[in-house]
Amino acid sequence: MADSGYYYRQYCSYKSQAEGYEKNIKALKNIKDRLESDFEDEQRNVNKELRDLESDLKEAVHHDSKFYNIASKCETYNEKGTSADAQLSSAVGALEDEISDLNKKKEDAEKNRDTSYKNYESAKQAEKEAREKALKEAMDALLKMGSS
């Protein structure tokens, strides 16, 4: 069995890996959320402006049916949602895949961290028992020498 220091170094290494993965996951989630929410905000603002424009145009020319029909087509120019943009949707999908991959790596690092810590505790206990045994044997040897 390796010494407790070896397992403790492994534990620290896996702990650091898991923390690094968590940091990267948070950063990617932030990017993904910003992509989705910022574009949704912009889309909502553009569509509101189009509805306001359509309403104003209809109000201004309510007596001209030809112009009224043209104004009614403003709705066809509404911005689509973020999922309608193929490249943006692809980027969001790639971010989700990377987040999923990092979550798996983080879980593996956490399992390895926990196993290393258990091994560290076991090795530490074995080392303690070995020291106690060696001390007892040394004491017994001294007692034998003193009684002879």
Side-chain angles (χ1 to χ4, degrees), residues 19-70:
E19 289 168 353
Y21 290 136
E22 180 62 28
K23 181 180 173 185
N24 291 340
I25 289 167
K26 284 181 182 179
L28 291 177
K29 282 183 176 179
N30 184 32
I31 292 168
K32 178 183 163 278
D33 291 344
R34 289 185 64 203
L35 271 177
E36 291 175 331
S37 68
D38 287 354
F39 282 106
E40 285 179 18
D41 289 345
E42 288 297 320
Q43 171 213 5
R44 203 173 6 264
N45 290 340
V46 168
N47 289 343
K48 181 187 179 308
E49 291 294 325
L50 283 171
R51 282 191 303 277
D52 291 347
L53 175 63
E54 179 181 7
S55 175
D56 291 345
L57 287 172
K58 285 179 178 178
E59 191 65 34
V61 291
H62 60 279
H63 61 279
D64 186 343
S65 64
K66 185 176 180 182
F67 195 78
Y68 186 87
N69 288 336
I70 292 171

Side-chain angles (χ1 to χ4, degrees), residues 3-4 9 19 21 23-24 32 37 40 48-49 63 78-79 84 87-88 94 101 116 126 129 133-134 138 147-148:
D3 71 339
S4 62
R9 287 187 296 279
E19 289 168 353
Y21 290 136
K23 181 180 173 185
N24 291 340
K32 178 183 163 278
S37 68
E40 285 179 18
K48 181 187 179 308
E49 291 294 325
H63 61 279
N78 275 351
E79 285 292 315
Q87 291 179 338
L88 184 58
D101 186 50
S116 293
E129 290 169 3
K133 181 181 176 186
S147 63
S148 353

Side-chain angles (χ1 to χ4, degrees), residues 75-86:
E75 187 175 305
T76 61
Y77 296 102
N78 275 351
E79 285 292 315
K80 308 291 188 267
T82 54
S83 60
D85 184 317

